[in-house]
Amino acid sequence: MAIYFGENRFKFGVFGLNCAGGMTLSSAAERWRAEWDDIVAVAKIADQAGIEFLLPIAKWKGLGGDADMWGRSFETFTQAAALGAMTQRIGLFVTAHVSLLTAAFVAKAITTIDHVTHGRAGLNIVCGWNPDEFDMHGVTVDPDTRYARGLEWYKIYQRLLKGESFDCYGEYYTLRGLVTDPLPVQRAPPVMSAAQSGDGQTFAAQASDILFTSMHSVDQVRDTVLRQRALSARYNRSPDIYVQTQIVCKPSRKEAEDWIHYYAEEKADQEALAYFRRQKAVTLSKSTREGTSEADKAVLASVQPTERKYAGIFPGMYPLVGSPDDLVEEFRKLEAIGVAGSALVFLNYLQEMPYFLQEVIPRMERAGLRRPI
Ligand SMILES: Cc1cc2nc3c(=O)[nH]c(=O)nc-3n(C[C@H](O)[C@H](O)[C@H](O)COP(=O)(O)O)c2cc1C
């Protein structure tokens, strides 16, 4: 049962607008460049179409290779405040690396965005993986304790937003005189956890309203949904589960297949993919390396230097390739296994999203998966 963002049975977000390359490992000339005016244009189109939220990527460095995906990126809090002031109803997530930002800072910044937007802010917590990004901040992320640290951080953040004044003597934080004022407009802005491993799922069960996770196959996501429900029940929670999907939608399936073949096969940025795998591999936790869950197996597989179809599609991003009718059928399958929604990715959001909105959204409404706005 979806908790946030209204009544639609299947909800949509737009993921990765703030970063060059978005979420696609491609050197195609048409790729997303993260020009500010284009970001604003997409945000306004999504807002008017009733898309539920915008979700940025927290990034400090690119992946190198031909296209240096993410080499150019806008900071997520300041971007959310700006886009919030230019839109009417869409939810605005920020993405925070907990190792870089104090809970007191984030409580205040989220509250600021929540007031600017009259209650549309949300927090995506990420615990981090790429050591090269954290070196520039003088911070080391320990893969075996990152989620334990994140949980302590979350509990401090949550108490601040309840209006408590307190000291904290925890395992990772010693903080005195914690307080924040004002409080957000929403009683509790939604907390998302973007994570994939078994550790990440355990964290999400205790700290999130939404688990935003990778999708490698329908079976793996079904397993994640069931596992997450059981884990969360132990903490009296029931987070919604969202996946990430790469939208490759054209009038015919053949056209869609040709398009993805071009940008994710012929123009796949293999060097950037190899760098991602190396960096991700050195920050796997012990339990992920030993893991037996489907999620941990998928994380381990994603760092192996094996050939994969559509190398330009990010590991953990599920490509939906076909006509508008094909895509609605895929979303229907996801809804049926308990997925609350998907964060959407396009090679070029401004060029491709209008067609998706025009053709897929009315079909989703006719299929009973979304309501007309
Ligand atoms: C859907 C998804 C989105 C993510 N977004 C970000 C992000 O914006 N910035 C980032 O540094 N990490 C991001 N991460 C990775 C997290 O930092 C995560 O903590 C890291 O991958 C290690 O944990 P895991 O193995 O549980 O995923 C994302 C992960 C997933 C699955």
Side-chain angles (χ1 to χ4, degrees):
M1 179 62 186
I3 320 170
Y4 286 102
F5 314 119
E7 299 297 317
N8 284 329
R9 272 173 59 198
F10 199 84
K11 300 184 171 68
F12 289 131
V14 181
F15 182 36
L17 275 184
N18 65 314
C19 291
M23 280 299 293
T24 315
L25 289 152
S26 175
S27 61
E30 297 88 343
R31 69 185 183 273
W32 185 241
R33 308 287 174 155
E35 293 294 339
W36 179 250
D37 289 345
D38 292 346
I39 293 171
V40 172
V42 174
K44 287 183 174 174
I45 293 168
D47 187 41
Q48 281 158 17
I51 296 294
E52 278 82 356
F53 60 83
L54 300 175
L55 176 62
I57 309 166
K59 271 301 135 213
W60 304 96
K61 255 194 178 149
L63 297 180
D66 295 334
D68 194 23
M69 175 183 180
W70 301 337
R72 168 192 169 94
S73 69
F74 288 100
E75 190 283 319
T76 75
F77 285 73
T78 42
Q79 174 174 291
L83 294 179
M86 291 187 240
T87 50
Q88 306 300 320
R89 59 185 159 208
I90 198 162
L92 293 136
F93 276 97
V94 300
T95 300
H97 284 126
V98 290
S99 55
L100 300 183
L101 302 173
T102 68
F105 172 82
V106 172
K108 202 163 261 307
I110 275 277
T111 299
T112 305
I113 299 165
D114 210 45
H115 280 256
V116 168
T117 59
H118 302 285
R120 291 186 280 134
L123 169 64
N124 178 24
I125 296 178
V126 287
C127 291
W129 57 276
N130 184 358
D132 285 352
E133 285 188 283
F134 294 95
D135 284 351
M136 69 194 281
H137 298 281
V139 166
T140 304
V141 173
D142 175 356
D144 292 318
T145 57
R146 68 185 150 195
Y147 282 113
R149 174 186 284 272
L151 191 57
E152 199 171 301
W153 184 103
Y154 165 77
K155 287 179 178 166
I156 299 163
Y157 166 82
Q158 198 191 29
R159 288 184 70 184
L160 280 166
L161 288 200
K162 281 186 182 154
E164 293 183 31
S165 305
F166 59 104
D167 296 333
C168 165
Y169 299 99
E171 202 176 332
Y172 302 97
Y173 297 98
T174 301
L175 306 166
R176 290 184 199 87
L178 285 154
V179 65
T180 199
D181 181 25
L183 297 179
V185 175
Q186 298 172 88
R187 190 183 52 78
V191 174
M192 172 186 278
S193 166
Q196 185 181 2
S197 64
D199 299 338
Q201 292 179 353
T202 305
F203 172 80
Q206 297 169 78
S208 77
D209 306 304
I210 293 167
L211 170 65
F212 176 43
T213 198
S214 290
M215 172 158 178
H216 299 270
S217 68
V218 173
D219 285 345
Q220 170 254 320
V221 169
R222 188 183 288 113
D223 180 82
T224 297
V225 169
L226 296 175
R227 208 179 126 86
Q228 194 63 40
R229 280 188 188 149
L231 269 174
S232 307
R234 291 187 207 159
Y235 304 98
N236 275 330
R237 302 182 79 117
S238 54
D240 284 346
I241 293 169
Y242 281 70
V243 295
Q244 41 177 354
T245 49
Q246 179 102 20
I247 302 302
V248 191
C249 188
K250 296 281 180 188
S252 72
R253 194 177 299 174
K254 167 84 173 71
E255 285 166 276
E257 282 168 356
D258 288 349
W259 178 230
I260 191 173
H261 180 82
Y262 158 69
Y263 78 70
E265 284 281 356
E266 288 172 29
K267 299 286 181 185
D269 197 339
Q270 296 281 1
E271 209 179 316
L273 176 62
Y275 171 78
F276 162 78
R277 284 168 160 162
R278 282 198 304 277
Q279 298 301 97
K280 181 86 183 155
V282 295
T283 51
L284 294 179
S285 70
K286 188 166 175 289
S287 67
T288 295
R289 277 183 271 119
E290 291 169 353
T292 48
S293 73
E294 291 304 312
D296 282 318
K297 282 186 214 157
V299 178
L300 286 172
S302 74
V303 302
Q304 298 306 317
T306 42
E307 286 265 326
R308 54 195 275 271
K309 198 177 178 197
Y310 304 140
I313 301 300
F314 209 86
M317 177 72 58
Y318 197 67
L320 295 183
V321 186
S323 68
D325 287 327
D326 293 332
L327 265 66
V328 173
E329 182 53 23
E330 295 291 334
F331 290 129
R332 200 192 51 72
K333 277 188 217 156
L334 289 176
E335 195 270 341
I337 60 169
V339 174
S342 176
L344 309 174
V345 167
F346 301 83
L347 176 73
N348 185 310
Y349 301 84
L350 192 54
Q351 286 172 13
E352 295 174 77
M353 201 175 76
Y355 179 74
F356 173 87
L357 297 175
Q358 181 193 305
E359 297 297 330
V360 177
I361 297 284
R363 286 171 168 81
M364 295 288 285
E365 290 168 6
R366 289 198 289 277
L369 293 167
R370 293 181 66 86
R371 291 181 178 178
I373 49 172

